[in-house]
Short mmCIF file of all heavy atoms in Angstrom, two decimals:
data_model
loop_
_atom_site.label_atom_id
_atom_site.label_comp_id
_atom_site.label_asym_id
_atom_site.label_seq_id
_atom_site.Cartn_x
_atom_site.Cartn_y
_atom_site.Cartn_z
N ASP A 1026 -150.37 249.39 -79.38
CA ASP A 1026 -150.78 249.10 -80.75
C ASP A 1026 -149.64 248.41 -81.51
O ASP A 1026 -148.78 249.05 -82.11
CB ASP A 1026 -151.17 250.41 -81.44
CG ASP A 1026 -151.78 250.17 -82.82
OD1 ASP A 1026 -151.65 249.03 -83.35
OD2 ASP A 1026 -152.36 251.12 -83.37
N GLU A 1027 -149.64 247.07 -81.48
CA GLU A 1027 -148.56 246.32 -82.13
C GLU A 1027 -148.59 246.48 -83.65
O GLU A 1027 -147.55 246.47 -84.30
CB GLU A 1027 -148.62 244.83 -81.74
CG GLU A 1027 -148.36 244.62 -80.26
CD GLU A 1027 -147.93 243.20 -79.93
OE1 GLU A 1027 -148.03 242.32 -80.82
OE2 GLU A 1027 -147.49 242.97 -78.79
N ALA A 1028 -149.78 246.61 -84.20
CA ALA A 1028 -149.89 246.78 -85.66
C ALA A 1028 -149.21 248.07 -86.08
O ALA A 1028 -148.48 248.11 -87.09
CB ALA A 1028 -151.35 246.78 -86.07
N ALA A 1029 -149.43 249.14 -85.31
CA ALA A 1029 -148.81 250.42 -85.64
C ALA A 1029 -147.28 250.31 -85.53
O ALA A 1029 -146.55 250.87 -86.34
CB ALA A 1029 -149.33 251.51 -84.72
N LEU A 1030 -146.82 249.58 -84.51
CA LEU A 1030 -145.38 249.41 -84.33
C LEU A 1030 -144.77 248.69 -85.52
O LEU A 1030 -143.73 249.08 -86.05
CB LEU A 1030 -145.09 248.64 -83.05
CG LEU A 1030 -143.60 248.32 -82.88
CD1 LEU A 1030 -142.83 249.52 -82.38
CD2 LEU A 1030 -143.38 247.11 -82.02
N LYS A 1031 -145.45 247.61 -85.94
CA LYS A 1031 -144.92 246.84 -87.07
C LYS A 1031 -144.79 247.73 -88.30
O LYS A 1031 -143.82 247.67 -89.03
CB LYS A 1031 -145.85 245.65 -87.37
CG LYS A 1031 -145.65 244.50 -86.38
CD LYS A 1031 -146.33 243.23 -86.83
CE LYS A 1031 -147.73 243.14 -86.26
NZ LYS A 1031 -148.34 241.82 -86.51
N GLN A 1032 -145.80 248.57 -88.49
CA GLN A 1032 -145.74 249.48 -89.63
C GLN A 1032 -144.61 250.48 -89.46
O GLN A 1032 -143.86 250.76 -90.40
CB GLN A 1032 -147.08 250.20 -89.75
CG GLN A 1032 -147.17 251.09 -90.98
CD GLN A 1032 -148.57 251.10 -91.54
OE1 GLN A 1032 -149.54 250.93 -90.81
NE2 GLN A 1032 -148.67 251.31 -92.84
N GLU A 1033 -144.47 250.99 -88.25
CA GLU A 1033 -143.43 251.99 -87.98
C GLU A 1033 -142.04 251.45 -88.31
O GLU A 1033 -141.24 252.12 -88.96
CB GLU A 1033 -143.50 252.41 -86.50
CG GLU A 1033 -142.42 253.40 -86.08
CD GLU A 1033 -142.19 253.40 -84.57
OE1 GLU A 1033 -143.13 253.05 -83.82
OE2 GLU A 1033 -141.06 253.72 -84.15
N VAL A 1034 -141.75 250.24 -87.84
CA VAL A 1034 -140.40 249.72 -88.04
C VAL A 1034 -140.28 248.91 -89.34
O VAL A 1034 -139.17 248.59 -89.76
CB VAL A 1034 -139.89 248.89 -86.84
CG1 VAL A 1034 -139.93 249.72 -85.57
CG2 VAL A 1034 -140.66 247.60 -86.66
N GLY A 1035 -141.42 248.61 -89.95
CA GLY A 1035 -141.36 247.94 -91.25
C GLY A 1035 -141.11 246.45 -91.17
O GLY A 1035 -140.29 245.92 -91.91
N VAL A 1036 -141.79 245.77 -90.27
CA VAL A 1036 -141.66 244.31 -90.21
C VAL A 1036 -143.06 243.69 -90.29
O VAL A 1036 -144.05 244.33 -89.93
CB VAL A 1036 -140.95 243.81 -88.92
CG1 VAL A 1036 -139.52 244.30 -88.89
CG2 VAL A 1036 -141.70 244.27 -87.67
N THR A 1037 -143.11 242.46 -90.75
CA THR A 1037 -144.41 241.80 -90.84
C THR A 1037 -144.75 241.04 -89.57
O THR A 1037 -145.90 240.70 -89.32
CB THR A 1037 -144.45 240.83 -92.03
OG1 THR A 1037 -143.31 239.96 -91.93
CG2 THR A 1037 -144.36 241.59 -93.35
N GLU A 1038 -143.73 240.75 -88.77
CA GLU A 1038 -144.02 240.10 -87.48
C GLU A 1038 -143.01 240.58 -86.45
O GLU A 1038 -141.86 240.88 -86.76
CB GLU A 1038 -143.98 238.57 -87.61
CG GLU A 1038 -142.68 238.03 -88.19
CD GLU A 1038 -142.69 236.51 -88.42
OE1 GLU A 1038 -143.49 235.82 -87.77
OE2 GLU A 1038 -141.87 236.04 -89.22
N LEU A 1039 -143.47 240.64 -85.20
CA LEU A 1039 -142.57 240.98 -84.12
C LEU A 1039 -141.86 239.72 -83.66
O LEU A 1039 -142.24 238.60 -84.03
CB LEU A 1039 -143.34 241.64 -82.98
CG LEU A 1039 -143.98 242.98 -83.37
CD1 LEU A 1039 -144.85 243.52 -82.25
CD2 LEU A 1039 -142.90 244.00 -83.74
N ALA B 1672 -136.01 245.12 -89.78
CA ALA B 1672 -136.76 246.38 -89.82
C ALA B 1672 -136.34 247.21 -91.02
O ALA B 1672 -135.35 246.90 -91.68
CB ALA B 1672 -136.53 247.15 -88.52
N LYS B 1673 -137.07 248.31 -91.27
CA LYS B 1673 -136.73 249.09 -92.46
C LYS B 1673 -135.50 249.97 -92.24
O LYS B 1673 -134.96 250.51 -93.18
CB LYS B 1673 -137.93 249.89 -92.96
CG LYS B 1673 -138.40 251.00 -92.05
CD LYS B 1673 -139.66 251.65 -92.64
CE LYS B 1673 -140.26 252.64 -91.65
NZ LYS B 1673 -141.61 253.07 -92.06
#
Side-chain angles (χ1 to χ4, degrees):
Chain A
D1026 187 346
E1027 295 200 350
L1030 175 79
K1031 283 192 267 189
Q1032 185 145 29
E1033 177 201 334
V1034 303
V1036 296
T1037 52
E1038 55 184 338
L1039 296 175
Chain B
K1673 67 183 172 192

